[in-house]
mmCIF file of all heavy atoms in Angstrom:
data_model
loop_
_atom_site.group_PDB
_atom_site.id
_atom_site.type_symbol
_atom_site.label_atom_id
_atom_site.label_comp_id
_atom_site.label_asym_id
_atom_site.label_seq_id
_atom_site.Cartn_x
_atom_site.Cartn_y
_atom_site.Cartn_z
ATOM 1 N N HIS A 182 91.864 106.931 121.337
ATOM 2 C CA HIS A 182 92.071 105.544 121.507
ATOM 3 C C HIS A 182 91.267 105.096 122.730
ATOM 4 O O HIS A 182 90.698 103.940 122.662
ATOM 5 C CB HIS A 182 93.612 105.245 121.692
ATOM 6 C CG HIS A 182 94.305 105.050 120.510
ATOM 7 N ND1 HIS A 182 94.430 103.831 119.822
ATOM 8 C CD2 HIS A 182 95.087 105.952 119.690
ATOM 9 C CE1 HIS A 182 95.094 103.939 118.777
ATOM 10 N NE2 HIS A 182 95.519 105.057 118.636
ATOM 11 N N GLU A 183 91.198 105.872 123.778
ATOM 12 C CA GLU A 183 90.465 105.470 124.969
ATOM 13 C C GLU A 183 89.019 105.331 124.684
ATOM 14 O O GLU A 183 88.440 104.366 125.083
ATOM 15 C CB GLU A 183 90.685 106.540 126.116
ATOM 16 C CG GLU A 183 92.128 106.503 126.572
ATOM 17 C CD GLU A 183 92.285 107.600 127.726
ATOM 18 O OE1 GLU A 183 91.287 108.051 128.207
ATOM 19 O OE2 GLU A 183 93.408 107.916 128.072
ATOM 20 N N GLN A 184 88.482 106.254 123.907
ATOM 21 C CA GLN A 184 87.138 106.261 123.523
ATOM 22 C C GLN A 184 86.773 104.998 122.653
ATOM 23 O O GLN A 184 85.741 104.360 122.880
ATOM 24 C CB GLN A 184 86.739 107.486 122.783
ATOM 25 C CG GLN A 184 86.693 108.695 123.480
ATOM 26 C CD GLN A 184 86.568 109.984 122.666
ATOM 27 O OE1 GLN A 184 87.392 110.222 121.755
ATOM 28 N NE2 GLN A 184 85.518 110.803 122.989
ATOM 29 N N TYR A 185 87.778 104.631 121.818
ATOM 30 C CA TYR A 185 87.467 103.481 120.948
ATOM 31 C C TYR A 185 87.395 102.238 121.803
ATOM 32 O O TYR A 185 86.697 101.221 121.581
ATOM 33 C CB TYR A 185 88.643 103.301 119.951
ATOM 34 C CG TYR A 185 88.612 102.153 119.087
ATOM 35 C CD1 TYR A 185 87.564 102.067 118.019
ATOM 36 C CD2 TYR A 185 89.398 101.012 119.156
ATOM 37 C CE1 TYR A 185 87.463 100.983 117.203
ATOM 38 C CE2 TYR A 185 89.264 99.837 118.483
ATOM 39 C CZ TYR A 185 88.372 99.936 117.325
ATOM 40 O OH TYR A 185 88.276 98.801 116.537
ATOM 41 N N GLN A 186 88.180 102.090 122.967
ATOM 42 C CA GLN A 186 88.087 100.976 123.879
ATOM 43 C C GLN A 186 86.706 100.738 124.391
ATOM 44 O O GLN A 186 86.228 99.605 124.639
ATOM 45 C CB GLN A 186 88.907 101.201 125.012
ATOM 46 C CG GLN A 186 90.437 101.260 124.578
ATOM 47 C CD GLN A 186 90.955 100.250 123.618
ATOM 48 O OE1 GLN A 186 90.847 99.083 123.799
ATOM 49 N NE2 GLN A 186 91.394 100.586 122.555
ATOM 50 N N ALA A 187 85.807 101.751 124.533
ATOM 51 C CA ALA A 187 84.438 101.697 125.003
ATOM 52 C C ALA A 187 83.578 100.875 123.897
ATOM 53 O O ALA A 187 82.634 100.131 124.246
ATOM 54 C CB ALA A 187 83.822 103.025 125.132
ATOM 55 N N ALA A 188 83.913 101.009 122.592
ATOM 56 C CA ALA A 188 83.260 100.205 121.664
ATOM 57 C C ALA A 188 83.708 98.698 121.605
ATOM 58 O O ALA A 188 82.903 97.839 121.032
ATOM 59 C CB ALA A 188 83.607 100.858 120.188
ATOM 60 N N LEU A 189 84.799 98.430 122.323
ATOM 61 C CA LEU A 189 85.294 97.044 122.365
ATOM 62 C C LEU A 189 84.915 96.417 123.728
ATOM 63 O O LEU A 189 85.011 95.270 123.792
ATOM 64 C CB LEU A 189 86.707 97.012 122.353
ATOM 65 C CG LEU A 189 87.438 97.782 121.018
ATOM 66 C CD1 LEU A 189 88.815 97.453 120.944
ATOM 67 C CD2 LEU A 189 86.767 97.171 119.703
ATOM 68 N N ALA A 190 84.327 97.225 124.547
ATOM 69 C CA ALA A 190 84.009 96.681 125.978
ATOM 70 C C ALA A 190 82.896 95.647 125.834
ATOM 71 O O ALA A 190 82.076 95.681 124.895
ATOM 72 C CB ALA A 190 83.642 97.855 126.904
ATOM 73 N N ASP A 191 82.761 94.794 126.893
ATOM 74 C CA ASP A 191 81.757 93.733 126.953
ATOM 75 C C ASP A 191 81.674 93.001 125.646
ATOM 76 O O ASP A 191 80.628 92.783 125.019
ATOM 77 C CB ASP A 191 80.367 94.480 127.243
ATOM 78 C CG ASP A 191 80.393 95.266 128.579
ATOM 79 O OD1 ASP A 191 81.004 94.705 129.507
ATOM 80 O OD2 ASP A 191 79.805 96.229 128.669
ATOM 81 N N ASP A 192 82.791 92.506 125.090
ATOM 82 C CA ASP A 192 82.964 91.717 124.024
ATOM 83 C C ASP A 192 82.342 92.411 122.716
ATOM 84 O O ASP A 192 81.502 91.903 122.022
ATOM 85 C CB ASP A 192 82.173 90.310 124.174
ATOM 86 C CG ASP A 192 82.495 89.299 123.182
ATOM 87 O OD1 ASP A 192 83.536 89.493 122.503
ATOM 88 O OD2 ASP A 192 81.607 88.455 122.870
ATOM 89 N N ARG A 193 82.707 93.771 122.644
ATOM 90 C CA ARG A 193 82.331 94.595 121.488
ATOM 91 C C ARG A 193 80.912 94.797 121.410
ATOM 92 O O ARG A 193 80.347 94.874 120.338
ATOM 93 C CB ARG A 193 82.876 94.003 120.116
ATOM 94 C CG ARG A 193 84.396 93.772 120.005
ATOM 95 C CD ARG A 193 84.819 93.120 118.738
ATOM 96 N NE ARG A 193 84.082 93.763 117.548
ATOM 97 C CZ ARG A 193 83.386 93.020 116.724
ATOM 98 N NH1 ARG A 193 83.206 91.775 117.112
ATOM 99 N NH2 ARG A 193 82.820 93.607 115.737
ATOM 100 N N ALA A 194 80.215 95.023 122.519
ATOM 101 C CA ALA A 194 78.831 95.192 122.577
ATOM 102 C C ALA A 194 78.321 96.424 121.635
ATOM 103 O O ALA A 194 77.327 96.303 120.981
ATOM 104 C CB ALA A 194 78.230 95.475 123.997
ATOM 105 N N PHE A 195 79.068 97.440 121.713
ATOM 106 C CA PHE A 195 78.645 98.570 120.987
ATOM 107 C C PHE A 195 78.786 98.336 119.416
ATOM 108 O O PHE A 195 77.761 98.532 118.558
ATOM 109 C CB PHE A 195 79.501 99.876 121.245
ATOM 110 C CG PHE A 195 79.069 101.126 120.484
ATOM 111 C CD1 PHE A 195 77.956 101.816 120.787
ATOM 112 C CD2 PHE A 195 79.800 101.550 119.335
ATOM 113 C CE1 PHE A 195 77.600 102.883 120.139
ATOM 114 C CE2 PHE A 195 79.451 102.596 118.692
ATOM 115 C CZ PHE A 195 78.395 103.321 118.938
ATOM 116 N N GLN A 196 79.879 97.776 119.012
ATOM 117 C CA GLN A 196 80.138 97.444 117.628
ATOM 118 C C GLN A 196 79.044 96.453 117.027
ATOM 119 O O GLN A 196 78.667 96.454 115.851
ATOM 120 C CB GLN A 196 81.497 97.123 117.304
ATOM 121 C CG GLN A 196 82.503 98.116 117.411
ATOM 122 C CD GLN A 196 83.827 97.604 116.901
ATOM 123 O OE1 GLN A 196 84.150 96.618 116.811
ATOM 124 N NE2 GLN A 196 84.869 98.601 116.826
ATOM 125 N N LYS A 197 78.602 95.444 117.837
ATOM 126 C CA LYS A 197 77.838 94.487 117.391
ATOM 127 C C LYS A 197 76.427 94.988 117.152
ATOM 128 O O LYS A 197 75.611 94.330 116.524
ATOM 129 C CB LYS A 197 77.713 93.286 118.535
ATOM 130 C CG LYS A 197 78.855 92.456 118.684
ATOM 131 C CD LYS A 197 78.710 91.445 119.682
ATOM 132 C CE LYS A 197 79.951 90.623 119.924
ATOM 133 N NZ LYS A 197 79.812 89.614 121.095
ATOM 134 N N ARG A 198 76.181 96.273 117.426
ATOM 135 C CA ARG A 198 74.887 96.853 117.093
ATOM 136 C C ARG A 198 74.814 97.077 115.597
ATOM 137 O O ARG A 198 73.636 97.169 115.080
ATOM 138 C CB ARG A 198 74.682 98.265 117.822
ATOM 139 C CG ARG A 198 74.457 98.152 119.265
ATOM 140 C CD ARG A 198 74.558 99.490 119.958
ATOM 141 N NE ARG A 198 73.987 99.450 121.356
ATOM 142 C CZ ARG A 198 72.710 99.941 121.605
ATOM 143 N NH1 ARG A 198 72.008 100.510 120.616
ATOM 144 N NH2 ARG A 198 72.187 99.890 122.649
ATOM 145 N N PHE A 199 75.881 97.173 114.854
ATOM 146 C CA PHE A 199 75.956 97.497 113.536
ATOM 147 C C PHE A 199 76.816 96.682 112.730
ATOM 148 O O PHE A 199 76.905 96.767 111.528
ATOM 149 C CB PHE A 199 76.121 99.052 113.211
ATOM 150 C CG PHE A 199 77.420 99.468 113.741
ATOM 151 C CD1 PHE A 199 78.564 99.444 112.886
ATOM 152 C CD2 PHE A 199 77.508 99.912 115.033
ATOM 153 C CE1 PHE A 199 79.792 99.840 113.407
ATOM 154 C CE2 PHE A 199 78.761 100.347 115.454
ATOM 155 C CZ PHE A 199 79.851 100.402 114.686
ATOM 156 N N MET A 200 77.691 95.778 113.400
ATOM 157 C CA MET A 200 78.655 95.070 112.705
ATOM 158 C C MET A 200 78.597 93.627 113.208
ATOM 159 O O MET A 200 78.391 93.357 114.393
ATOM 160 C CB MET A 200 80.089 95.632 113.072
ATOM 161 C CG MET A 200 81.264 95.023 112.303
ATOM 162 S SD MET A 200 82.911 95.656 113.069
ATOM 163 C CE MET A 200 82.735 97.476 112.619
ATOM 164 N N ALA A 201 78.940 92.752 112.295
ATOM 165 C CA ALA A 201 78.793 91.338 112.518
ATOM 166 C C ALA A 201 79.702 90.907 113.668
ATOM 167 O O ALA A 201 80.866 91.461 113.753
ATOM 168 C CB ALA A 201 79.096 90.444 111.316
ATOM 169 N N ASP A 202 79.387 90.105 114.624
ATOM 170 C CA ASP A 202 80.205 89.588 115.659
ATOM 171 C C ASP A 202 81.427 89.020 115.081
ATOM 172 O O ASP A 202 82.594 89.263 115.405
ATOM 173 C CB ASP A 202 79.470 88.708 116.566
ATOM 174 C CG ASP A 202 80.381 88.122 117.718
ATOM 175 O OD1 ASP A 202 81.431 88.633 117.971
ATOM 176 O OD2 ASP A 202 80.039 86.890 118.185
ATOM 177 N N SER A 203 81.216 88.070 114.120
ATOM 178 C CA SER A 203 82.373 87.385 113.426
ATOM 179 C C SER A 203 82.141 87.482 111.964
ATOM 180 O O SER A 203 81.190 86.970 111.451
ATOM 181 C CB SER A 203 82.233 85.861 113.888
ATOM 182 O OG SER A 203 83.446 85.193 113.225
ATOM 183 N N PHE A 204 83.074 88.314 111.330
ATOM 184 C CA PHE A 204 82.833 88.561 109.960
ATOM 185 C C PHE A 204 83.737 87.666 109.025
ATOM 186 O O PHE A 204 84.888 87.580 109.195
ATOM 187 C CB PHE A 204 83.275 90.000 109.657
ATOM 188 C CG PHE A 204 82.977 90.426 108.172
ATOM 189 C CD1 PHE A 204 81.638 90.989 107.923
ATOM 190 C CD2 PHE A 204 83.873 90.494 107.184
ATOM 191 C CE1 PHE A 204 81.446 91.392 106.702
ATOM 192 C CE2 PHE A 204 83.671 90.896 106.000
ATOM 193 C CZ PHE A 204 82.450 91.319 105.663
ATOM 194 N N ASP A 205 82.989 86.865 108.211
ATOM 195 C CA ASP A 205 83.717 85.985 107.260
ATOM 196 C C ASP A 205 84.247 86.680 106.012
ATOM 197 O O ASP A 205 83.514 87.269 105.286
ATOM 198 C CB ASP A 205 82.656 84.934 106.852
ATOM 199 C CG ASP A 205 82.381 83.915 107.962
ATOM 200 O OD1 ASP A 205 83.143 83.834 108.905
ATOM 201 O OD2 ASP A 205 81.286 83.425 107.899
#
Side-chain angles (χ1 to χ4, degrees):
H182 272 276
E183 291 178 17
Q184 291 172 303
Y185 180 74
Q186 300 311 305
L189 307 182
D191 300 322
D192 193 25
R193 298 179 47 241
F195 180 79
Q196 287 188 349
K197 288 178 183 178
R198 288 169 162 258
F199 60 89
M200 185 186 298
D202 175 23
S203 181
F204 186 85
D205 292 334

